Structure formats: structure tokens, C-alpha cells
Amino acid sequence: MARRRKKDIEITDFKSLLKKQGYSLAGKHSAVKTCLWLRRSIKDEGECYKSIFYGITSHRCLQMTPTLICNQKCLHCWRPTEIDVDMPTDYDSPEDIVSSAIESQRKLLTGFGHSAPPHLWKEGNDPKHVAISLSGEPTLFPHLPELIEEFKRKGFTTFVVSNGTVPEMMAKIDPAQLYMSLDAPDRETYEKVCVPNSPRLWDNILRSLEILRDKETRTVIRITLIKGVNMFDPQGYAELIKIADPDYIEVKAYMHLGFSRKRLPREAMPLPEEVLEFSEELADHLGYKVAGNVEVSRVVLLSKDGSVTHLM
């Protein structure tokens, strides 16, 4: 019997597992987690690519989810998709979620009080950006529009990242920036990569692409490239992206982290130069230009004219 490595993650009770992975539960069904770049930024050790691309302040970014439920089991997801999450019997109010999320963020930052410069520590405890993207699909939360508006009322810049499988909710929400993941150039690849709980979800994604096209808010298509799995046919991706006509496109490398290590080999991570090459081919098919390239994060940004306007 093979010896288990210390870094391997055991699948146990879901909520206990989330706590072991650094999540802080907020209310009955929400969660908060500090990312690597927040932890670096609060110690004045660098900013994430969102800071470089969009001008956000990494140590003032609150990463949260209003639901731990997802309708896909993506191969590349670092979350424990192997465990099913029960649907809540009732929901916290958007007001309670926002206050609980801020409180949870402050608790998570407690350990940085002695290592962060005082002014950054103070700023970090007063978040002003929210990334509604963590564990779970946010558009499955029935009160997402109200949650976004409550964050806005508190002065937050709002980002939502969706898999596009709930077009009715995509039509209702208007964050400052709306992301939609597109991890396959065709239905067959989508079902292999994202393992949806219904074959109808691909049709929902096509509908969400149409909805994005008519959005007045800033829109972003995000592609996660997995070498040997979905890193092919840039023209196929381009034909789908043309439906949405997004403001920006983020092309990112799959990263061999968390539970994805149980599903994919380390070799599935594209190199920075491979991500750039694929992005340039995609840009050629679309008539977009490279607007940014952060090699350390293996992510390339495309825009229509090669520029980007900061949100802040």
C-alpha cells in the first residue's frame, strides 16, 4: 500500500475540511478565504494580477462565496468537488452575509497583525473590493442581485465569477465586473472538463454568452487552459467568444493545487510562454490584442484595443 504524503489532503466532513484549508464560514451557507496575494500584499510583498490589470488593492480584496453548492465538478478545480454539499433549507439575508463576510475576513487577518506594516494592516481590515468567487457557483444563490447591491451600498467594487450555467441569474446581476468561465471550445470537451450535473448546462452557457453581449457592465471571458485536455482549437473558443463580445478575455494556466492534484498530473500546467502563444492565436482569430501578461501568475489579458481601464 502506498504511503500517503503529508501534503495530500484527506476528504472528511466538508465544513471541517474547509476550515483546514483556511476558509472561514460566514453564516449558514457562505464562506470567506484569504488568497495568496492578499497575504503578500498586506506585508508589502507584491500584488496580484488583478491589481496590475484592473487597479484593485490586493490586501483590501474580500474573496467570498454566498453558496458552497456547485453544478459542475471541474477537473481543474482546487476545491473538494468529490463531496456533495446539501442545499440550505433557508438563507441568510444579504445584509447578514455582508456583515458576516467582513467579520470573517478580519478574523482571518488577525495573524498578520505583527508582520504587516501598520498602515497596510489597517487598510486590510477595511476591505473595499469583493470577489464573489470561491467554492461554489454564486449564481445558484437566489438572492445574488440583492447581495451585490448590498456590497455596493457599503462602497465595495464588486466582481462576480460565474460558470454561466444559470442564464436567468446572469441576466439579473450587474456587478462592476462580470466574469464568465469558458473552459471548452465545444460541448464534448465541456462535458469532459467540467463534468456538469446535466447535459443541458452547455445550452445554458451558450445562452449566457448571448446575455453577456447585451450587458452594460464590464464583462470578461475567462479560460483556464489544461495542457493535453482543453488547450486546443483557439478558433473554436473564438467563435464562442464572439457571441459574448466581452470587454476583456483572461487566459490562465491551470495550476496544480488542492484537490485537482487527485485528478490531473502536474504536467497539465501550461508554461507561461505556452499560455501567451495560445492567447496570441486566440487574439488573432478575434481581432483582439494582448493588453497584459503576468508570467508569475501564468495569465494573459486580451482587450479589443490592447488597453485596459482600471476600475478604481
Side-chain angles (χ1 to χ4, degrees), residues 29-306:
H29 50 79
S30 303
V32 174
K33 190 178 190 294
T34 58
C35 74
L36 167 67
W37 287 107
L38 181 149
R39 299 192 293 271
R40 289 183 179 177
S41 176
I42 202 167
K43 294 189 287 185
D44 200 21
E45 294 176 353
E47 298 279 341
C48 85
Y49 73 88
K50 295 186 187 72
S51 174
I52 298 169
F53 291 167
Y54 310 121
I56 72 158
T57 310
S58 299
H59 61 279
R60 300 188 71 180
C61 184
L62 169 63
Q63 183 181 223
M64 64 83 63
T65 181
T67 179
L68 298 167
I69 297 169
C70 193
N71 51 10
Q72 297 182 163
K73 296 182 182 296
C74 299
L75 298 179
H76 54 285
C77 185
W78 51 268
R79 304 159 183 91
T81 62
E82 292 78 4
I83 302 178
D84 292 324
V85 182
D86 294 331
M87 183 77 70
T89 55
D90 64 304
Y91 292 97
D92 296 327
S93 70
E95 294 82 4
D96 287 342
I97 293 173
V98 171
S99 60
S100 296
I102 294 172
E103 181 182 357
S104 295
Q105 177 92 329
R106 289 170 177 165
K107 287 180 180 178
L108 290 171
L109 293 180
T110 301
F112 295 92
H114 298 294
S115 59
H119 71 286
L120 296 180
W121 162 253
K122 183 178 179 180
E123 289 177 354
N125 278 271
D126 183 25
K128 67 174 184 177
H129 315 290
V130 60
I132 304 176
S133 162
L134 191 57
S135 181
E137 169 50 39
T139 59
L140 292 173
F141 176 55
H143 307 296
L144 183 58
E146 295 84 358
L147 178 64
I148 293 168
E149 291 308 310
E150 179 63 17
F151 271 117
K152 288 181 181 180
R153 194 179 69 80
K154 294 283 189 180
F156 279 73
T157 304
T158 52
F159 295 76
V160 174
V161 183
S162 173
N163 61 22
T165 57
V166 189
E168 298 81 4
M169 185 60 77
M170 293 289 280
K172 292 179 182 179
I173 58 176
D174 287 300
Q177 188 154 300
L178 177 57
Y179 287 83
M180 179 175 154
S181 297
L182 184 66
D183 296 322
D186 56 68
R187 183 190 296 269
E188 181 181 357
T189 306
Y190 166 71
E191 293 182 355
K192 175 183 177 182
V193 172
C194 297
V195 195
N197 64 12
S198 167
R200 294 192 301 272
L201 294 188
W202 176 251
D203 297 317
N204 289 357
I205 287 171
L206 298 180
R207 174 64 185 135
S208 289
L209 289 172
E210 295 177 349
I211 289 169
L212 248 64
R213 182 184 58 217
D214 298 325
K215 281 289 183 182
E216 293 185 3
T217 191
R218 284 173 38 145
T219 56
V220 184
I221 292 292
R222 174 182 287 179
I223 301 172
T224 300
L225 295 176
I226 312 168
K227 198 170 180 178
V229 179
N230 71 346
M231 195 173 174
F232 64 92
D233 193 12
Q235 184 173 359
Y237 281 100
E239 292 305 314
L240 293 172
I241 292 170
K242 286 177 183 177
I243 300 172
D245 189 31
D247 297 297
Y248 304 107
I249 303 163
E250 286 184 12
V251 186
K252 301 179 62 181
Y254 155 68
M255 302 304 286
H256 194 59
L257 299 170
F259 279 85
S260 75
R261 295 176 298 167
K262 296 176 176 290
R263 313 177 202 111
L264 293 166
R266 188 174 184 83
E267 294 72 27
M269 288 194 301
L271 298 172
E273 55 268 28
E274 293 173 322
V275 176
L276 178 59
E277 180 181 359
F278 188 94
S279 301
E280 289 173 335
E281 290 184 43
L282 179 64
D284 286 342
H285 288 297
L286 287 166
Y288 281 54
K289 298 179 181 178
V290 173
N293 179 18
V294 181
E295 290 190 5
V296 66
S297 297
R298 306 190 192 197
V299 57
V300 173
L301 180 70
L302 305 179
S303 70
K304 294 176 180 178
D305 62 1

